[in-house]
Amino acid sequence: MDIYKADKTRIEAASKAFDLYRQFYGQPTNLNASAEFLSERFEKKDSRFFIALSSDGEPLGFIQLYPSFSSVAMKKMWYLNDLFVVVSARGKGVASALLDHVKTYAKENDSFSLKLATAVDNVAAKALYEKHGYSKVTAFDHYVLRTDTV
C-alpha cells in the first residue's frame, strides 16, 4: 500500500473511492458527480485528499482534510472530514496508515490541530481515533445551521 496526495492525475481512483464512500452514507452512485466534485477541490486547492492505493493501483481508502484556522493560536488547523476504507481492505491497517499520514502532514505544515467528528454510536471509529491520540472535546457544544433548509 502507498499513500498519495491525490490530484487530477489520480482522479479516477479518487472518484471511485469517493463514490463508494457516498454510497456508504446512503447516496446513489454517481461517479461523474464524484469526479466533478473532487476535480473542483483539487483545482481550487480547498481540501487535501490522500488516497491509499494497492500495489496494482486499486483504491483501498482515502482521507480528506479541509483547512481552517485557530484565531487564538494564530495557526492553520485541519478538519478531518472524511475517512473511508473499502470493504475488502478493512481490518488491514489502511485507516491507521491514513491517520498517521495526515498527522505527519499536519506537523510538517506547522498546523495547530486536526479536528474531526463522528457519530455518537460509532464505537469502532472512536476507538481508532483514540488509539491515534485524538481526545474527545467536552468543553464546547457544537451547533449547525443547515442553510439548505432555511
Side-chain angles (χ1 to χ4, degrees):
M1 167 181 54
D2 290 306
I3 297 174
Y4 302 95
K5 181 178 171 195
D7 56 24
K8 62 183 178 179
T9 64
R10 292 193 170 86
I11 192 67
E12 186 177 333
S15 299
K16 184 177 177 182
F18 190 72
D19 190 54
L20 290 170
Y21 170 72
R22 293 184 70 256
Q23 290 175 58
F24 177 80
Y25 282 103
Q27 299 301 308
T29 185
N30 192 332
L31 199 52
N32 289 334
S34 293
E36 288 174 20
F37 179 82
L38 291 180
S39 292
E40 186 176 347
R41 302 290 66 74
F42 300 160
E43 183 180 318
K44 292 183 176 184
K45 297 181 168 92
D46 58 8
S47 81
R48 301 299 180 275
F49 191 102
F50 298 95
I51 187 163
L53 299 175
S54 68
S55 58
D56 61 353
E58 283 300 307
L60 302 173
F62 73 89
I63 197 165
Q64 185 165 213
L65 306 176
Y66 288 99
S68 189
F69 292 90
S70 168
S71 298
V72 174
M74 296 186 298
K75 287 189 165 194
K76 181 174 273 198
M77 56 173 276
W78 296 96
Y79 280 101
L80 192 168
N81 202 68
D82 311 304
L83 172 61
F84 179 72
V85 176
V86 299
V87 173
S88 62
R90 291 186 184 164
K92 298 179 181 175
V94 175
S96 286
L98 287 163
L99 287 168
D100 288 342
H101 190 84
V102 297
K103 180 167 59 173
T104 299
Y105 178 82
K107 281 182 170 185
E108 289 174 351
N109 288 278
D110 194 33
S111 303
F112 176 66
S113 65
L114 286 161
K115 286 187 174 183
L116 62 87
T118 193
V120 174
D121 62 352
N122 194 342
V123 177
K126 289 196 242 183
L128 176 70
Y129 298 137
E130 289 172 11
K131 175 183 169 190
H132 282 270
Y134 289 78
S135 55
K136 184 176 179 180
V137 175
T138 59
F140 301 96
D141 287 331
H142 293 266
Y143 296 85
V144 65
L145 173 66
R146 293 275 312 261
T147 58
D148 61 343
T149 61
V150 289

